[in-house]
């Protein structure tokens, strides 16, 4: 399949990218496990907590299964089936992340039903695009390479179709970021936005949202470019790294929100007289949170 030294070097770099993504996810899981136990396992399991666990452990289970399956790959046919499994795993991880981000925006906009309707339509459209690509004829040529394991390459046409899914996810991330900035600017004003201090839940939502979008843009744009302008050997080589980083960052965002609101995200709904912000299951008075620090 690959004959030149350049091809071999590119395949090795792709393998290192997969290893780096898996290592980041596992390492972050280990160091944040005490926070997870304190903030998630020892408290009542609300919907947001269940999504956190699903996002976190689906990715971890996918990595473990991939490592185990790689040991038992004995033919190119089995390798092809394994690549389909990996595509499905990454597909479901992306859907879960989209749902979590949509819930954050839904909460930020005071549980706006109008916004929820549009977010639902957008997510369904994304799922439709992903399904059309994932379940269509998008399998590339997969083979077991000595010292590497199962490796798949894509034709230009197939790479372009798969890249479309990542473009759609990037557009969704950009939309979430714009909605976050717009709402917070309307609430507290542009001049009071802070990327340094974390005085209240508003700062946490803004800073974490900005951090997530910045990090995902830095990795997802190169990932998309590999599908459209990369050589045959590196097409889609960053998809696993991108997925692992996204799962890791989302887990961090959710833990930060739980820490900031203490037990609030698990408590019953509290109502306030003035403008309020729904953080998943709890209403938090945004104006009071802001005015108390200025």
């Amino acid at each position: 399949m690959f004959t030149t030294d350049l091809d071999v070097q590119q395949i090795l770099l792709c393998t290192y990218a997969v290893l780096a993504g898996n290592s980041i996810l596992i390492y972050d899981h280990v160091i944040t496990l005490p926070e997870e136990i304190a903030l998630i396992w020892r408290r009542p399991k609300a919907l947001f907590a269940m999504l956190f666990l699903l996002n976190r452990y689906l990715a971890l289970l996918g990595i473990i299964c991939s490592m185990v399956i790689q040991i038992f790959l004995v033919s190119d046919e089995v390798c092809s089936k394994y690549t389909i499994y990996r595509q499905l795993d990454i597909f479901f991880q992306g859907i879960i992340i989209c749902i979590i981000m949509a819930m954050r925006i839904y909460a930020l906009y005071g549980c706006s039903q109008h916004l929820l309707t549009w977010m639902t339509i957008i997510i369904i459209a994304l799922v439709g695009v992903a399904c059309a690509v994932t379940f269509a004829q998008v399998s590339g040529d997969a083979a077991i390479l000595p010292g590497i394991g199962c490796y798949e390459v894509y034709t230009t046409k197939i790479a372009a179709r798969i890249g479309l899914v990542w473009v759609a996810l990037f557009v969704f991330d950009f939309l979430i970021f714009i909605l976050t900035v717009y709402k917070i600017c309307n609430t507290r004003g542009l001049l009071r936005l802070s990327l340094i201090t974390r005085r209240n839940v508003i700062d946490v939502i803004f800073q974490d949202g900005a951090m997530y979008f910045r990090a995902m843009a830095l990795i997802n744009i190169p990932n998309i470019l590999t599908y459209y302008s990369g050589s045959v050997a590196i097409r889609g080589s960053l998809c696993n790294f991108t997925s692992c980083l996204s799962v890791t960052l989302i887990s961090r965002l959710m833990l930060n929100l739980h820490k900031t609101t203490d037990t609030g995200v698990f408590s019953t709904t509290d109502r306030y007289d003035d403008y309020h912000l729904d953080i998943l299951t709890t209403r938090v008075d945004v104006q009071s949170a802001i005015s108390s620090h200025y």
Side-chain angles (χ1 to χ4, degrees):
M1 184 181 294
F2 301 103
T3 56
T4 66
D5 291 339
L6 179 60
D7 288 338
V8 174
Q9 292 176 1
Q10 289 178 340
I11 293 174
L12 286 175
L13 289 176
C14 296
T15 304
Y16 295 151
V18 172
L19 180 61
N22 293 346
S23 300
I24 290 174
L25 191 146
I26 295 174
Y27 174 76
D28 187 78
H29 188 103
V30 172
I31 64 175
T32 58
L33 187 59
E35 295 179 7
E36 176 188 330
I37 294 174
L39 299 172
I40 305 296
W41 290 106
R42 292 182 178 176
R43 294 178 179 177
K45 304 300 183 295
L47 175 60
F48 200 56
M50 299 304 295
L51 285 174
F52 170 86
L53 296 174
L54 186 60
N55 170 70
R56 194 167 168 92
Y57 284 93
L58 178 63
L60 182 62
L61 181 62
I63 291 177
I64 296 174
C65 290
S66 296
M67 293 178 179
V68 174
I69 292 174
Q70 286 275 9
I71 300 175
F72 298 98
L73 293 177
V74 294
S75 66
D76 292 347
E77 182 180 357
V78 177
C79 178
S80 297
K81 294 180 179 179
Y82 163 75
T83 58
I84 295 176
Y85 152 76
R86 284 299 299 157
Q87 287 183 11
L88 290 174
D89 184 45
I90 293 175
F91 165 75
F92 284 116
Q93 289 176 18
I95 295 302
I96 293 171
I97 289 173
C98 287
I99 293 174
I100 292 172
M101 297 303 290
M103 285 184 62
R104 283 170 60 93
I105 292 298
Y106 174 63
L108 187 62
Y109 277 75
C111 293
S112 170
Q113 295 299 318
H114 181 70
L115 179 65
L116 178 62
T117 300
W118 280 107
M119 295 298 295
T120 302
I121 293 174
I122 292 173
I123 291 178
I124 291 175
L126 289 176
V127 171
V129 172
C131 288
V133 172
T134 303
F135 299 105
Q137 298 295 323
V138 296
S139 297
D141 296 325
I144 300 177
L145 303 181
I148 300 296
C150 184
Y151 197 84
E152 184 178 25
V153 295
Y154 305 103
T155 64
T156 302
K157 182 178 179 180
I158 292 176
R161 294 180 62 181
I162 298 177
L164 183 61
V165 177
W166 291 102
V167 172
L169 290 174
F170 178 75
V171 172
F172 183 81
D173 288 341
F174 182 70
L175 174 63
I176 293 294
F177 177 69
I178 293 298
L179 288 173
T180 301
V181 174
Y182 175 79
K183 184 62 175 180
I184 294 179
C185 283
N186 280 348
T187 302
R188 64 189 301 177
L190 180 62
L191 296 179
R192 288 187 174 182
L193 290 180
S194 174
L195 288 172
I196 301 176
T197 60
R198 299 171 72 90
R199 309 183 203 188
N200 51 51
V201 67
I202 305 302
D203 285 340
V204 171
I205 292 175
F206 174 68
Q207 292 176 25
D208 286 355
M211 177 273 296
Y212 176 82
F213 177 74
R214 181 171 62 248
M216 291 310 302
L218 288 175
I219 185 59
N220 203 8
I221 291 177
N223 176 46
I224 293 171
L225 291 177
T226 64
Y227 286 102
Y228 292 100
S229 60
S231 63
V232 175
I234 65 172
R235 288 171 183 165
S237 58
L238 293 178
C239 69
N240 182 81
F241 183 85
T242 304
S243 179
C244 288
L245 185 63
S246 181
V247 170
T248 301
L249 292 176
I250 284 294
S251 297
R252 286 282 185 153
L253 261 64
M254 298 175 79
L255 286 175
N256 287 343
L257 187 58
H258 280 74
K259 287 189 292 186
T260 303
T261 57
D262 196 18
T263 60
V265 291
F266 300 102
S267 61
T268 57
T269 301
D270 295 325
R271 296 184 178 273
Y272 295 84
D273 295 332
D274 299 322
Y275 182 82
H276 59 266
L277 167 66
D278 290 271
I279 300 296
L280 308 175
T281 60
T282 300
R283 298 180 188 271
V284 178
D285 193 336
V286 177
Q287 300 294 358
S288 296
I290 295 172
S291 61
S292 62
H293 293 280
Y294 294 96

